[in-house]
Amino acid sequence: MSIQRGSLVVISGPSGVGKTTILRMLLEQLPELTPSVSATTRPPRAGERDGIDYHFLSPEDFARRRENDEFLECCRVYGRDSWYGTLVDEVTPRLDAGQWVVLEIDVEGTLSVLERYPDTITIFVEPSRPEQLDERLTRRGTESAEAIERRLEVARRELGQAHLYRHRVVNENVDEAVAGIIEILRQAGLESVAASEARPC
């Protein structure tokens, strides 16, 4: 009996919209979702583990893999020296094994992924009002005013590209946003592990 091919899910949204929190909650509630571990050239931060949080690559190794077309998508984030990307080996073998793989990437990366996987389930998370992004980024207190303005500039550009996504979810309330995404995935064919186990033979 052949294994049905899995599905690829992409979640995007502007900085400060709450994507990381939403993805964490999705993975807690949907164990059938498999997260893709991104690769980066930046050094590990305290507590980060190679292969778990990121694949930490040297700039030379990252460049070599780019030249060999080993990335589904990659980019230099916010003009920094560090590169980030999604390795093909993180995604394709899992899809071939019937798994549902989820990526948290930007709009540019999504467009690259769609070139190879046009059936990708794309979900754009947006704020109920643009001012929320400024408020959330400022509340973090982790970046300079210049860095925040740079993120907001990128965010405004990404909000203008939200129409490129198959689904759009407003994150006014994180629990409601997560529930909305779960419903999107259910309608796309994702079955609950618990429901599958409960089904009679």
Side-chain angles (χ1 to χ4, degrees):
M1 180 178 179
S2 61
I3 298 176
Q4 184 176 358
R5 185 175 179 81
S7 294
L8 186 57
V9 180
V10 163
I11 295 177
S12 303
S15 184
V17 80
K19 299 184 300 296
T20 301
T21 299
I22 286 174
L23 181 57
R24 175 180 54 78
M25 293 175 66
L26 284 172
L27 294 173
E28 289 173 354
Q29 298 183 41
L30 298 175
E32 53 269 48
L33 276 184
T34 302
S36 172
V37 178
S38 297
T40 182
T41 60
R42 75 159 173 79
R45 294 170 183 156
E48 288 184 333
R49 297 162 294 172
D50 184 43
I52 303 297
D53 299 288
Y54 285 95
H55 295 293
F56 294 102
L57 307 178
S58 68
E60 296 77 16
D61 192 16
F62 199 102
R64 177 184 60 79
R65 290 173 182 249
R66 284 182 63 209
E67 292 174 1
N68 292 338
D69 197 28
E70 295 182 30
F71 285 99
L72 277 180
E73 57 83 30
C74 64
C75 66
R76 186 176 291 174
V77 178
Y78 300 118
R80 298 173 182 172
D81 291 334
S82 299
W83 283 82
Y84 292 79
T86 303
L87 290 162
V88 173
D89 285 348
E90 271 288 314
V91 175
T92 302
R94 293 187 169 115
L95 293 178
D96 290 343
Q99 298 179 21
W100 282 60
V101 182
V102 60
L103 310 179
E104 181 195 334
I105 55 178
D106 63 11
V107 175
E108 183 180 346
T110 300
L111 297 178
S112 296
V113 168
L114 285 170
E115 290 180 5
R116 188 172 303 203
Y117 295 108
D119 293 332
T120 296
I121 301 165
T122 54
I123 302 170
F124 190 89
V125 180
E126 54 192 333
S128 58
R129 51 187 178 84
E131 296 79 10
Q132 285 182 335
L133 302 178
D134 193 355
E135 295 167 3
R136 290 174 181 173
L137 290 172
T138 302
R139 199 182 310 132
R140 286 180 185 176
T142 58
E143 296 184 283
S144 66
E146 181 182 355
I148 290 175
E149 181 54 38
R150 188 168 61 242
R151 284 183 179 270
L152 289 174
E153 182 181 345
V154 173
R156 286 188 284 268
R157 187 169 66 246
E158 291 187 330
L159 286 170
Q161 297 174 299
H163 66 281
L164 299 174
Y165 285 69
R166 190 183 304 180
H167 304 280
R168 297 168 68 170
V169 174
V170 174
N171 185 18
E172 173 69 24
N173 175 283
V174 67
D175 290 321
E176 293 177 0
V178 169
I181 293 175
I182 289 175
E183 180 58 25
I184 289 170
L185 299 181
R186 296 294 190 218
Q187 291 185 8
L190 181 65
E191 294 186 359
S192 168
V193 170
S196 297
E197 291 176 348
R199 184 182 302 157
C201 298

